[in-house]
């Protein structure tokens, strides 16, 4: 039976982030994750992998003199969460964030089903990196914690 007609679950393919310093943000995201620079033109860089399954970060430098993120009720991208494949990778990311003084916290949630590292990018965008135990299931406790975190991520 052919598999090319099988429905695939939805996933975020790309995210565009307005940044104040393109070179600095490219370097930051390349330190953090599997983000090669695919293309760059003028004030836009595309980071990721060339596979259609790879997430792509589109970084666009703003040329406005007012580089500010406004309150929790503002519209637009509020935070980004990345799944990582191992605790070793989570440790590495925590080290990069700490080295740049951008680390916020680390915690296990829902009885150890997931472990999160929270930090910020150079423009103060909240970032979350999550590792999920391979044998865990996500139940009501997990989603209750996620709802509660939604109010504190960009505070």
């Amino acid at each position: 039976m052919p598999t090319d007609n099988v429905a695939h679950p939805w996933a975020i393919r790309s995210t565009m982030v307005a940044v104040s310093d393109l070179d600095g943000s490219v370097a930051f995201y390349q330190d953090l994750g599997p983000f090669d620079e695919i293309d760059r033109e003028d004030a836009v860089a595309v980071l990721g992998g060339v596979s259609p399954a790879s997430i792509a970060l589109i970084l666009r430098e703003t040329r406005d003199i007012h580089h500010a993120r406004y309150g929790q009720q503002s519209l637009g991208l509020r935070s980004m969460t990345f799944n990582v494949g191992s605790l070793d990778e989570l440790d590495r990311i925590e080290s990069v964030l700490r080295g740049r003084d951008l680390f916020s916290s680390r915690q296990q949630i829902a009885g150890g089903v997931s472990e999160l590292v929270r930090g910020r990018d150079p423009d103060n965008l909240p970032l979350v990196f999550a590792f999920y135990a391979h044998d865990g299931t996500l139940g009501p406790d997990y989603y209750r914690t996620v709802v509660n975190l939604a109010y504190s991520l960009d505070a």
Side-chain angles (χ1 to χ4, degrees):
M1 178 175 196
T3 59
D4 55 345
N5 291 328
V6 174
H8 297 282
W10 283 39
I12 299 288
R13 170 66 180 116
S14 67
T15 298
M16 183 166 62
V17 181
V19 300
S20 62
D21 173 16
L22 187 61
D23 291 333
S25 291
V26 165
F28 172 77
Y29 283 106
Q30 286 181 319
D31 279 351
L32 274 181
F35 300 114
D36 294 326
E37 187 173 309
I38 298 169
D39 194 23
R40 184 189 293 217
E41 187 171 328
D42 192 30
V44 176
V46 178
L47 307 180
V50 295
S51 163
S54 172
I55 186 173
L57 289 179
I58 303 166
L59 305 178
R60 183 179 68 197
E61 187 173 71
T62 61
R63 298 201 169 134
D64 185 359
I65 60 169
H66 304 290
H67 300 294
R69 290 178 43 83
Y70 298 99
Q72 290 183 342
Q73 301 306 315
S74 66
L75 298 176
L77 184 65
R78 305 303 305 157
S79 71
M80 286 192 293
T81 300
F82 300 91
N83 288 347
V84 300
S86 69
L87 285 173
D88 287 342
E89 182 66 356
L90 204 60
D91 292 342
R92 187 192 68 75
I93 290 166
E94 180 179 343
S95 177
V96 169
L97 291 170
R98 284 183 184 277
R100 292 174 172 258
D101 201 26
L102 295 168
F103 173 79
S104 299
S105 68
R106 184 169 182 155
Q107 71 184 97
Q108 287 189 353
I109 61 173
V113 169
S114 179
E115 190 158 342
L116 307 177
V117 167
R118 294 170 53 190
R120 295 189 173 270
D121 83 350
D123 287 307
N124 206 29
L125 177 69
L127 304 174
V128 179
F129 302 88
F131 170 73
Y132 294 92
H134 299 291
D135 57 352
T137 56
L138 305 179
D141 288 343
Y142 171 82
Y143 290 103
R144 191 170 305 113
T145 302
V146 168
V147 167
N148 290 327
L149 284 174
Y151 291 105
S152 65
L153 282 175
D154 59 355

